[in-house]
């Protein structure tokens, strides 16, 4: 089949699949405890896509040109028997890359199982090395040492590891240099993510954003950096290398330097709804199609129809007003 493109000529190449909407962290910029408290009702098991349904959808997307799949959440390692799903996905002919985004708290005892199942790489979210600060951000009592141990176990298991740090002014901007120094010394790529207006509950506004330019200027005072060319169309991170090393630092610049024009990603939430943008207002329900007896060809036609009519370019058009007033899906539901 020829490459599917949307209304702006962007091909469908990448798929993010959220396997669960639950998380054991309550990060203040993602799942604040005031909203996602003890009485918050998460999806019951029967609303989640089964592994067989995820595998079937993944096969359809690969048939349509997807080459990379990333599993997300919530916290995906909370999904029971996740290595079983990973093994199923690795057996799909034509799929070239499987990754996972995790907060790292459960990675220590799962890394070897994940690697054995066929997982190739993990992106670990870590916003601070300072213990008190990290605990105040995740609001769950979990210490950074637990995540750092998970990172080491993942490396020992043979997984490629990158670390993602969301930078928010007044929250953890003092950790920019300590994080860079720590992971440079260990040869692990670090990526700074500009604080984004995902969902309705993180209290975002422009004044809380520290831009890539600001972070880069701070890094330059301590490190000698050289730019790295993008590895492929649609690569999100703007990448640099510490001169004289193979260790990289990158930036996810959704706010200050949007990358909508090269976005090749579709997203499937844990309940089977497809979203064509991280900042989407509504999704397309595949679970109903999967469970109503529709054929693969019928579902494939639906995917083609949704993608070929895609016009999303939210970050290109973001304003303070649209960020506050537009209804957006929560990050914990849609996956990062």
């Amino acid at each position: 089949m020829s490459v599917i493109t949307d209304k702006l000529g962007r091909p469908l190449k990448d798929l993010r699949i959220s396997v669960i909407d639950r998380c054991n962290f309550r990060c203040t910029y993602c799942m604040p405890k005031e909203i996602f408290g003890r009485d918050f009702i998460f999806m019951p098991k029967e609303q989640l896509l089964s592994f067989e349904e995820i595998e079937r959808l993944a096969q359809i997307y690969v048939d349509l040109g997807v080459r990379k799949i990333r599993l997300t959440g919530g916290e995906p390692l909370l999904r029971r028997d996740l290595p079983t799903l990973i093994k199923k996905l690795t057996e799909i002919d034509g799929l070239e890359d499987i990754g996972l985004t995790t907060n790292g708290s459960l990675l220590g005892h799962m890394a070897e199982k994940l690697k054995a199942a066929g997982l190739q790489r993990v992106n670990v979210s870590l916003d601070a090395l300072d213990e008190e600060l990290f605990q105040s951000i995740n609001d769950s009592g979990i210490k950074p040492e637990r995540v750092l141990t998970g990172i080491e176990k993942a490396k020992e298991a043979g997984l490629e590891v990158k670390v993602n740090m969301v930078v928010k002014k007044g929250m953890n901007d003092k950790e920019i240099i300590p994080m860079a120094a720590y992971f440079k010394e260990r040869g692990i790529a670090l990526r700074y993510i500009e604080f984004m207006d995902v969902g309705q509950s993180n209290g975002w506004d422009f004044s809380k954003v520290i831009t890539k330019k600001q972070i880069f200027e701070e890094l330059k005072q301590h490190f000698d950096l050289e730019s790295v060319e993008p590895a492929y169309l649609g690569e999100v991170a703007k990448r640099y290398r510490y001169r004289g090393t193979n260790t990289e630092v990158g930036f996810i610049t959704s706010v200050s330097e949007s990358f909508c024009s090269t976005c090749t990603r579709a997203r499937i939430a844990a309940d089977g709804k497809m979203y064509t943008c991280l900042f989407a207002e509504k999704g397309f329900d595949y679970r109903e199609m999967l469970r109503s007896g529709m054929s693969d060809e019928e579902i494939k036609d639906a995917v083609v129809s949704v993608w070929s009519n895609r016009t999303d370019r939210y970050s290109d058009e973001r304003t303070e007003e649209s960020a506050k007033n537009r209804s957006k899906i929560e990050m914990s539901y849609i996956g990062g």
Side-chain angles (χ1 to χ4, degrees):
M1 177 176 282
S2 58
V3 175
I4 306 167
T5 56
D6 66 12
K7 292 289 188 185
L8 301 177
R10 298 169 294 189
L12 174 59
K13 291 289 184 186
D14 307 276
L15 181 62
R16 308 259 170 120
I17 303 174
S18 174
V19 297
I20 195 167
D21 62 332
R22 298 170 188 266
C23 186
N24 56 339
F25 280 16
R26 286 295 176 269
C27 295
T28 50
Y29 59 81
C30 182
M31 292 182 73
K33 198 175 280 185
E34 304 82 61
I35 295 170
F36 297 90
R38 290 181 181 275
D39 57 347
F40 186 84
I41 300 172
F42 290 98
M43 290 181 207
K45 184 179 178 181
E46 62 271 15
Q47 286 187 20
L48 299 174
L49 290 184
S50 69
F51 287 174
E52 290 72 25
E53 289 169 333
I54 292 173
E55 180 187 14
R56 187 178 170 198
L57 271 181
Q59 179 67 69
I60 288 169
Y61 272 86
V62 171
D63 289 345
L64 292 172
V66 162
R67 294 295 172 261
K68 297 173 65 176
I69 288 178
R70 175 169 292 281
L71 301 178
T72 67
E75 171 47 51
L77 297 185
L78 288 175
R79 180 74 185 254
R80 190 185 299 272
D81 298 323
L82 188 67
T84 301
L85 172 63
I86 291 168
K87 190 168 192 312
K88 288 177 180 289
L89 295 178
T90 62
E91 293 168 357
I92 295 176
D93 189 36
L95 184 62
E96 297 171 359
D97 186 59
I98 300 178
L100 175 89
T101 297
T102 173
N103 63 32
S105 62
L106 304 174
L107 191 55
H109 74 272
M110 288 192 68
E112 289 189 6
K113 294 177 185 175
L114 294 169
K115 176 64 176 176
L119 188 70
Q120 295 165 316
R121 54 200 178 87
V122 291
N123 285 16
V124 181
S125 301
L126 179 67
D127 298 325
L129 293 171
D130 179 84
E131 183 175 299
E132 186 177 338
L133 176 57
F134 182 66
Q135 288 183 306
S136 73
I137 293 171
N138 70 54
D139 206 10
S140 303
I142 294 172
K143 298 179 179 181
E145 286 74 22
R146 180 163 158 185
V147 179
L148 295 172
T149 298
I151 289 170
E152 288 305 314
K153 293 288 187 184
K155 282 191 70 179
E156 290 170 10
L159 291 165
E160 178 189 337
V161 180
K162 293 177 183 172
V163 174
N164 292 340
M165 175 188 180
V166 173
V167 183
K168 179 180 173 183
K169 188 175 291 183
M171 180 181 80
N172 63 338
D173 37 329
K174 291 182 179 177
E175 290 284 289
I176 290 171
I177 300 305
M179 286 280 287
Y182 183 92
F183 289 107
K184 174 179 181 286
E185 182 181 333
R186 287 157 180 80
I188 296 173
L190 172 65
R191 302 195 299 186
Y192 298 99
I193 302 176
E194 293 178 345
F195 178 45
M196 292 183 284
D197 52 319
V198 180
Q200 303 293 115
S201 57
N202 71 358
W204 185 91
D205 66 58
F206 277 112
S207 70
K208 298 172 184 173
V209 176
I210 298 183
T211 66
K212 173 238 179 178
K213 183 179 179 182
Q214 292 170 308
I215 298 170
F216 185 72
E217 288 301 318
E218 189 170 343
L219 288 172
K220 280 205 306 184
Q221 296 175 32
H222 299 265
F223 307 102
D224 187 8
L225 298 170
E226 56 186 4
S227 62
V228 177
E229 288 297 311
Y232 54 89
L233 174 70
E235 184 172 33
V236 171
K238 294 178 171 64
R239 295 157 53 217
Y240 295 80
R241 184 188 299 115
Y242 298 105
R243 196 179 298 277
T245 76
N246 291 318
T247 305
E248 293 187 6
V249 61
F251 302 87
I252 312 293
T253 60
S254 174
V255 178
S256 68
E257 299 174 19
S258 63
F259 38 82
C260 299
S261 64
T262 57
C263 180
T264 61
R265 284 170 296 289
R267 290 176 164 83
I268 298 176
D271 62 355
K273 287 191 176 69
M274 172 197 178
Y275 295 87
T276 53
C277 179
L278 182 59
F279 303 94
E281 296 180 78
K282 59 181 185 292
F284 184 86
D285 191 354
Y286 286 125
R287 187 183 64 196
E288 181 62 32
M289 299 178 76
L290 288 164
R291 295 181 183 180
S292 64
M294 294 183 71
S295 70
D296 287 0
E297 284 304 314
E298 288 173 310
I299 297 174
K300 193 175 293 185
D301 288 343
V303 175
V304 172
S305 176
V306 171
W307 188 265
S308 61
N309 285 292
R310 176 189 189 229
T311 58
D312 305 274
R313 46 191 295 266
Y314 174 82
S315 290
D316 283 349
E317 302 168 330
R318 178 192 286 108
T319 64
E320 191 91 50
E321 186 175 347
S322 70
K324 281 186 165 61
N325 297 332
R326 175 165 161 165
S327 174
K328 298 188 291 292
I329 303 300
E330 293 295 341
M331 172 79 87
S332 56
Y333 165 79
I334 192 173

